[in-house]
Amino acid sequence: MLVKKVLKKKVLVGALAGVALVAAVLAGYRVFGWGAMGPVNGLKLDLSRPDALVRTKSLSTLPRDLLTVPLARDVLREDFLFYYEQSEDRLGLKGSLRRIAYEHELGWGDQLLRMVLDQPAEVALWRDADGSLKHFAIAVSRSQLTRLLEEAGKIALKDTQMRVAGSLRVDGDSVPVYALNYAYQRTLLFAAHGQRLVILSHPGMLYGGSDGKHGDGTAEKTVASLLAQEAASQNVFHPQFHLDGAAPEGHSIAVKADFLSFGYQPFFGALEALRFDFQQGAWQSKVLLNADKLNKSGKGGYDSSALWPVLPHNPSACFSVPVDWTALQPVLKRLGSKTSEPVVPLAGHLQGPAAACWYGNSRLHTPVFVATRSAQAGDDAVYGSLFEAAIGGKDPVRKTTGKDGATRWERNVATALGQSTPALAVAGNTVVFSADGKLVDQVLAVRRKQAPAASDLLPDGARTIGLIAPASLARLIQLEAFDTLPANNEPVLRAAANEHLVPRLNALKKYPPLRMVLKRQPASGTSWETLEWQETAR
């Protein structure tokens, strides 16, 4: 009952990830018009492999269901729902459809928008050059499309905002693709076949250039599959997310780890995706794990029990990931070209998961990283060579050795954010690095039993793979926000942050620390495993 209650009330990451996805789907994004598709084409989007997939019974209810999580409701509040219902893109699209329906004496003014938002749908999303999920494809099944398509074909011949952009072959039929200019420099594509409707957020997702030429055909095949009559063809995105064809009872949001990790996912390939499901009024979190790759991460697979006893108490956020240390060999090889001795052997010294943690007494850009090495790790000097090669700077590297046998390297580095003193240390089987040398010292102090550890209040360190302390996280966010908004230089934005950001952060501070628990590890293959969010003592 306790776990069920916690899952219902405290799914922090599920809420935040869901917010990001809903923002991309409902708010839309700024595009560059039919004749300027370079920003999309330059990304070389693979339309067959999205970064995230939303499956839902109704897109219009997704934001409201996110607010069933008390934390999301307290932090985002009702104006979150109002914002996306009144977003510029949605209002622009609604206005364009109403004008077209009025001028051409049609009866489906808002019908197309309701057809998408109020019906079961799948939304695939791709990242833009800035890393945000800006490009999307929406696929829905709906009867009564025949009349709408006939009218759309007639409108495209004489309307200024709609025209035929091209055609696709679907189940042997030629299917027209329509372009709709619904606001200033905003264009979407849509096509329908049988009872299937597909909407693309930008023409460049389907066409290879402003001259209308196609790319390698992958995009056309993907859209044709989404429009196909057979359900097996429509589920073109499911295999890569390891999803079955059954529609969810409520909402299901799957996000690839490669997107969440900013491209570093190859170093922990065993973690493939996260998923957040909403059923029977509650959110549940799941993680997609590859057992074969998990076993490559070293002894214990995803056993994090060696990490929490050396991590300082009360992190703002802390997560362990199952690192594939052999994937570091190419990086170590390149760094080794700058050193007097090879550092590639380090990939064989390290084992098990690694942890990345943020603390309220440091900065957002200076997390601390902790890993475990084997007992046969060899000479510590190789770590000093790695540090000197990886951390550039004019100042010399300073090496110190403590009474407990810990060896520490540090160097003063001038950065755009000011002076920094990154440090690397090894002590026993612990390896620790941070751009904030004080955090390295804190880890060493914990290891010497001179400071409390994150494990002190954890009932099971082996299965705990994440910690979040909302109060400490809120303080860190507030520090970073106001540091970028000095009162003398940014009085307007500073005042806005005081009025709107601070109350939400104060609401966040009221929540207790949470730990993320992996219920089980897969024995073989790739499978979705349940994550539980449980309260921990303060």
Side-chain angles (χ1 to χ4, degrees), residues 45-48 168 200 203-208 214-226:
L45 293 182
D46 184 350
L47 222 63
S48 67
L168 294 170
L200 302 178
M205 298 175 66
L206 183 58
Y207 298 111
H214 295 273
D216 60 3
T218 299
E220 290 81 359
K221 292 177 182 177
T222 301
V223 178
S225 296
L226 294 172

Side-chain angles (χ1 to χ4, degrees), residues 369-441:
F369 301 92
V370 176
T372 304
R373 62 176 183 166
S374 64
Q376 297 78 29
D379 188 2
D380 290 348
V382 68
Y383 291 94
S385 298
L386 173 65
F387 179 80
E388 186 168 5
I391 306 300
K394 297 181 180 179
D395 290 354
V397 173
R398 298 185 297 275
K399 176 184 176 182
T400 57
T401 302
K403 296 180 180 180
D404 58 351
T407 304
R408 185 180 184 278
W409 298 266
E410 69 174 13
R411 166 179 263 167
N412 295 332
V413 178
T415 72
L417 298 174
Q419 194 74 8
S420 177
T421 308
L424 170 71
V426 292
N429 65 343
T430 300
V431 180
V432 54
F433 168 80
S434 178
D436 181 353
K438 294 179 181 179
L439 289 182
V440 173
D441 294 334

Side-chain angles (χ1 to χ4, degrees), residues 142-343:
R142 179 67 186 264
S143 59
Q144 301 176 345
L145 285 176
T146 303
R147 179 175 62 86
L148 186 149
L149 293 176
E150 291 177 351
E151 294 175 342
K154 297 176 182 178
I155 294 170
L157 297 176
K158 53 185 177 181
D159 195 85
T160 58
Q161 287 185 256
M162 186 184 296
R163 67 166 173 153
V164 177
S167 63
L168 294 170
R169 298 295 298 181
V170 182
D171 295 339
D173 299 329
S174 179
V175 175
V177 179
Y178 299 99
L180 174 64
N181 301 319
Y182 62 94
Y184 176 68
Q185 291 190 340
R186 286 169 169 80
T187 302
L188 58 78
L189 297 181
F190 70 91
H193 178 258
Q195 296 187 3
R196 295 286 290 174
L197 172 67
V198 173
I199 299 173
L200 302 178
S201 57
H202 192 285
M205 298 175 66
L206 183 58
Y207 298 111
S210 57
D211 56 1
K213 293 182 179 180
H214 295 273
D216 60 3
T218 299
E220 290 81 359
K221 292 177 182 177
T222 301
V223 178
S225 296
L226 294 172
L227 291 170
Q229 184 176 1
E230 294 185 3
S233 299
Q234 299 168 8
N235 299 333
V236 63
F237 302 129
H238 292 191
Q240 60 194 282
F241 286 96
H242 293 265
L243 301 172
D244 55 35
E249 295 180 7
H251 314 291
S252 181
I253 303 171
V255 188
K256 288 183 178 177
D258 183 61
F259 167 73
L260 296 173
S261 64
F262 303 100
Y264 288 98
Q265 197 259 347
F267 295 114
F268 46 92
L271 178 60
E272 296 189 1
L274 293 178
R275 194 171 105 206
F276 310 97
D277 297 337
F278 181 81
Q279 295 181 3
Q280 298 178 348
W283 285 92
Q284 185 182 59
S285 306
K286 293 186 177 181
V287 60
L288 184 62
L289 292 176
N290 184 315
D292 298 331
K293 293 181 179 180
L294 196 61
N295 294 331
K296 292 182 180 179
S297 64
K299 183 180 179 181
Y302 208 170
D303 184 346
S304 303
S305 56
L307 298 173
W308 303 115
V310 297
L311 286 166
H313 177 66
N314 194 30
S316 300
C318 195
F319 303 97
S320 71
V321 291
V323 180
D324 177 8
W325 295 107
T326 60
L328 289 176
Q329 289 179 344
V331 178
L332 294 174
K333 185 176 181 180
R334 288 195 297 271
L335 289 173
S337 63
K338 306 177 183 178
T339 64
S340 58
E341 57 183 301
V343 294

Side-chain angles (χ1 to χ4, degrees), residues 11 13-15 17-22 25 50-63 65-66 119-125 133 137 139 237-238 241-256 273-288 528-529:
V11 190
V13 174
V19 167
L21 294 173
V22 174
V25 174
D51 295 304
L53 182 65
V54 180
R55 297 189 298 165
T56 176
K57 277 195 170 183
S58 172
L59 278 172
S60 61
T61 64
L62 182 52
D65 287 338
L66 281 171
Q119 296 296 318
E122 286 194 354
V123 183
L125 301 109
L133 293 173
F237 302 129
H238 292 191
F241 286 96
H242 293 265
L243 301 172
D244 55 35
E249 295 180 7
H251 314 291
S252 181
I253 303 171
V255 188
K256 288 183 178 177
L274 293 178
R275 194 171 105 206
F276 310 97
D277 297 337
F278 181 81
Q279 295 181 3
Q280 298 178 348
W283 285 92
Q284 185 182 59
S285 306
K286 293 186 177 181
V287 60
L288 184 62
W528 287 102
E529 303 296 339

Side-chain angles (χ1 to χ4, degrees), residues 26-105:
L26 297 183
Y29 66 98
R30 184 168 298 278
V31 296
F32 295 85
W34 177 253
M37 294 181 284
V40 170
N41 298 327
L43 292 176
K44 299 180 180 179
L45 293 182
D46 184 350
L47 222 63
S48 67
R49 300 191 62 81
D51 295 304
L53 182 65
V54 180
R55 297 189 298 165
T56 176
K57 277 195 170 183
S58 172
L59 278 172
S60 61
T61 64
L62 182 52
R64 193 175 300 276
D65 287 338
L66 281 171
L67 296 183
T68 61
V69 180
L71 188 146
R73 184 179 63 247
D74 291 346
V75 173
L76 298 175
R77 302 182 183 179
E78 291 296 330
D79 43 358
F80 159 77
L81 185 62
F82 173 79
Y83 173 81
Y84 287 112
E85 287 181 345
Q86 303 297 322
S87 68
E88 180 183 357
D89 281 0
R90 179 167 177 171
L91 293 177
L93 180 58
K94 183 182 292 186
S96 296
L97 293 175
R98 284 178 175 174
R99 184 208 52 87
I100 291 173
Y102 175 77
E103 290 188 3
H104 297 279
E105 299 180 351

